[in-house]
Amino acid sequence: MKDYKKYYLLPATPDEVYTALTNPVTLELWTGDPAEMSTEPGSEFSLWEGSIVGKNIEFVPGKKIVQQWYFDGQTDESIVTIKIHPDSHGSSVELRHVNIPDDDYNDIVEGWNDSYFGNLADFFEVG
């Protein structure tokens, strides 16, 4: 199991970033795929046509998202924590993803950088 932590700068307010990560309509706009998402703790979510699935654990509007991501056959919970901080250029987003299976690590890191936060940055810069 491996952990990953990185900071991303986004040209949007913390509230805009939070909405983009939690509102299913906005998620579909920047991912290009149907999204199932709720800010109800304990609810299930699905992104990128089921490529990412899990359970929502905690939400602090405009500040924090905590989710459990599911990996087949994994016994240790893989937890994603996203903290959103105001920054002079918009928002600084702190990502921490723990207990990533070794075999999935490189794909997950690439996904965070390119598909997830890369697409989100493009969305805000174009929008």
Side-chain angles (χ1 to χ4, degrees), residues 67-83:
Q67 298 173 319
Q68 177 186 352
W69 284 26
Y70 299 152
F71 291 93
D72 288 339
Q74 182 171 330
T75 54
D76 295 335
E77 292 184 353
S78 183
I79 304 295
V80 169
T81 303
I82 297 172
K83 294 180 182 177

Side-chain angles (χ1 to χ4, degrees), residues 4-125:
Y4 182 69
K5 183 175 183 179
K6 185 169 180 178
Y7 288 86
Y8 299 89
L9 292 176
L10 296 173
T13 68
D15 286 339
E16 290 170 331
V17 172
Y18 179 83
T19 297
L21 296 174
T22 59
N23 182 303
V25 174
T26 311
L27 275 162
E28 290 180 16
L29 288 175
W30 65 266
T31 65
D33 287 311
E36 294 176 28
M37 179 63 71
S38 163
T39 54
E40 183 70 33
S43 63
E44 303 271 321
F45 69 89
S46 175
L47 305 171
W48 280 281
E49 297 182 333
S51 294
I52 299 172
V53 293
K55 179 172 65 174
N56 292 309
I57 298 173
E58 178 186 356
F59 294 94
V60 179
K63 296 180 188 278
K64 184 177 176 183
I65 300 165
V66 182
Q67 298 173 319
Q68 177 186 352
W69 284 26
Y70 299 152
F71 291 93
D72 288 339
Q74 182 171 330
T75 54
D76 295 335
E77 292 184 353
S78 183
I79 304 295
V80 169
T81 303
I82 297 172
K83 294 180 182 177
I84 309 163
H85 308 282
D87 180 82
S88 60
H89 301 290
S91 295
S92 169
V93 180
E94 175 188 342
L95 165 72
R96 180 145 192 237
H97 191 166
V98 300
N99 291 331
I100 303 168
D102 293 343
D103 292 344
D104 296 311
Y105 183 80
N106 290 335
D107 287 340
I108 292 295
V109 168
E110 182 180 318
W112 279 121
N113 292 325
D114 299 338
S115 301
Y116 209 94
F117 285 104
N119 282 354
L120 191 55
D122 290 346
F123 172 74
F124 284 123
E125 288 172 4

